[in-house]
Amino acid sequence: MSAAYWLLVGVSIASVALLCALLTLVIRNVVIVNVFGVGLTVATLVFMAADFSYVIPTCFAYRISLGMIVPDTAYPDPAQALTAGWAVTALFLVLPLAANLAVVTRRRYLR
């Protein structure tokens, strides 16, 4: 159970934090970032049980974590879900990280 929890927390927080950091750097409006967070939470809740939920990293982390505890809740095609889910999750981690670094270095926040 502990591994499932840390997988869920790690993937969810990392992907959401990087996207919100990018929005904060680009838009500089806290209200829009909060609305984005609420929207992502609602999308996660709506698509959580769908068979294609592996394309949303927060849903993917939830279903994989839950599947570790209750095997009946796992994806119908685990190989496809794991391959596509980890690929999408990696993109949601690498692309915002690269964009954050580009914005920070372009605006010369780092000296």
Side-chain angles (χ1 to χ4, degrees):
M1 257 172 110
S2 179
Y5 172 76
W6 286 111
L7 175 70
L8 170 65
V9 169
V11 171
S12 297
I13 288 179
S15 59
V16 171
L18 288 171
L19 286 172
C20 287
L22 181 61
L23 279 175
T24 303
L25 286 172
V26 172
I27 298 173
R28 295 181 183 213
N29 190 338
V30 177
V31 174
I32 292 176
V33 174
N34 286 325
V35 168
F36 172 77
V38 170
L40 185 61
T41 301
V42 170
T44 299
L45 293 173
V46 169
F47 294 117
M48 193 178 294
D51 289 340
F52 60 88
S53 66
Y54 51 80
V55 298
I56 303 170
T58 52
C59 293
F60 173 69
Y62 176 79
R63 287 283 298 268
I64 291 298
S65 299
L66 189 61
M68 292 169 66
I69 298 169
V70 183
D72 294 338
T73 61
Y75 286 106
D77 185 7
Q80 177 189 6
L82 286 174
T83 304
W86 283 119
V88 170
T89 301
L91 283 174
F92 267 79
L93 294 175
V94 171
L95 292 178
L97 179 63
N100 280 326
L101 291 174
V103 168
V104 167
T105 55
R106 187 192 65 185
R107 291 192 181 164
R108 300 178 196 235
Y109 288 119
L110 299 175
R111 295 188 195 249

